[in-house]
Structure formats: C-alpha cells, structure tokens
Amino acid sequence: MAISRSDQLVQDIKQAFFRGEYLPGQALSSQRSMSESLSLSRSTVREAMGQLESEGFINVRPGGKTYCNNLLEVCFDMPLEGLGDNPEFQQQVLEVRAMLEGEAAYYAALRATDAQLERVDKEYQQLLKRDKGETTLAKAKEDLRFHMLIAEASQHLLVVSFSEIFYSRFFNAIYGVLSRTLKKRGRYPDGIRAQHASIHQAVMARDPDAAREAATNHILYTLKQLSANE
C-alpha cells in the first residue's frame, strides 16, 4: 500500500529529529513556506503537523508558529528543591557532566557542520573576553552556553535533548559548585581557561578522541576543585 504524502512528510521530519537536524525549541518553517518548498498542498502539510503535534514532536503555539519539543522532557519530572546546595548532589551532577560533555565534544568534532563550528568558535572568543567584574551567575551561564553549543553541534538527538534538560534543571547545582569555588579562592580556577582552550582546539580540529578527553578532564578537574573545597 502506497504511503500518503502526509505520512511521508511525518516520517521525513521524524528522521530529521533523530539525525539531530532539529533542536529542542527550534522553530520550524511556516506551513505556507513548507508547502511551497516541498511542493505540497497546505492541507497535506497541516495534516502532517497535526500528527506530529499529537505525538509530541512539535508544539504549535498561538499565532501558528511551530516549535520542536524536547522529546526527553517528560522523563525528568523529579523534585529538586534544596538539592542545588547539597554537596553530594553537586558531585553527582559533575560526574554525569563528565560523561555527557565528553560524548558531546566527541560527536561535535565528528559531525559538526562548518556553521556550527563557527558558532562554537564565536562563543569561545566571548569566553576569552569575560569581564572580571561579572557576577558568578553570569560566568556560570556563559560557561554552560559554550558547552551547550558543543552539544548542539554533536547532531546527536539524545545528547542534545539531555544536555538541554540537564543544564536547565540542574543549573542551581552547577552554579553552586562555581559559587563555592569562587568564595573559597576568590577567583576563577586557573585550569579552567586552559581546559576550555583544549576543548575548543580539539573540536575545531575535528579530533573526536582529543575532544572527548579534553571535555571529560575539564569536568573532572572541577570535581577535584569541589572536593578541595570541603
């Protein structure tokens, strides 16, 4: 039995999700633009969008704009109150970051487009210009933005989706680690800048093994700083 054009469009968009071509929160083209670019009727596109929305892949907001959902978000409904300042929980967050960011850097070096590498490089250059007078909160957000861009460049659906949720839901714990370190030392740890440079260099050189090692060691270094703060 021949597949309908609507069902084919649904399958094509799902495959794009699985290839990491659509990022959580990314806006899709309007139905009109999609209809014109794919030479499909508006009703065919509308039917496909309705099916994708019913299955949780997209969210059509008031005004007709369509955004990609994070497919893992429904799996992370857990109470977090009070955990951000808990040293044991902060340690667990760092241990997961070491695995997550190592793989993100590996696949970014392996799969990133030139445009994605350009965005990573641009964000890295901004890190180098970090204002010494910036708040700890601003530093934490800038640091995670650099790592999130690397995750997005991995073109790995699970890495991208999990990274977005992880950085968002566990931000208080991540921020808490940096805050405690700065309060004790009075400055950003010396090794962080060099580690960011190593990650950046390996990803830009498309050296996946070096990128994984650099990103993993970066978080393990931070974990060591946390233990030293006890």
Side-chain angles (χ1 to χ4, degrees), residues 34-68:
M34 198 175 295
S35 173
E36 293 174 352
S37 64
L38 299 175
S39 298
L40 296 173
S41 68
R42 292 284 294 276
S43 61
T44 296
V45 174
R46 185 165 54 250
E47 182 180 349
M49 293 301 105
Q51 182 175 337
L52 288 167
E53 184 175 30
S54 69
E55 294 181 14
F57 281 83
I58 62 173
N59 176 28
V60 181
R61 300 180 186 174
K65 289 190 175 181
T66 303
Y67 294 87
C68 301

Side-chain angles (χ1 to χ4, degrees), residues 24 53-59 68-79 158 161-162 164-166 169:
E53 184 175 30
S54 69
E55 294 181 14
F57 281 83
I58 62 173
N59 176 28
C68 301
N69 288 333
N70 188 318
L71 304 182
L72 293 182
E73 191 167 9
V74 296
C75 304
F76 285 85
D77 187 16
M78 59 182 289
L158 296 181
S161 299
F162 186 71
E164 183 192 61
I165 294 172
F166 189 82
R169 290 187 64 79

Side-chain angles (χ1 to χ4, degrees), residues 2 6-7 9 35 53 70 83 95 117 143 147 164 221:
S6 173
D7 287 341
L9 178 57
S35 173
E53 184 175 30
N70 188 318
L83 289 178
E95 289 167 348
L117 288 184
D143 184 272
H147 290 292
E164 183 192 61
Y221 172 84

Side-chain angles (χ1 to χ4, degrees), residues 2 13 34 49 59 61 65-66 94-96 106-107 123 132 149 151 193 225 229:
I13 292 178
M34 198 175 295
M49 293 301 105
N59 176 28
R61 300 180 186 174
K65 289 190 175 181
T66 303
L94 286 174
E95 289 167 348
V96 173
Y106 177 89
Y107 286 107
E123 188 61 37
K132 293 182 179 180
L149 282 174
R193 181 178 289 264
Q225 297 300 309
N229 289 339

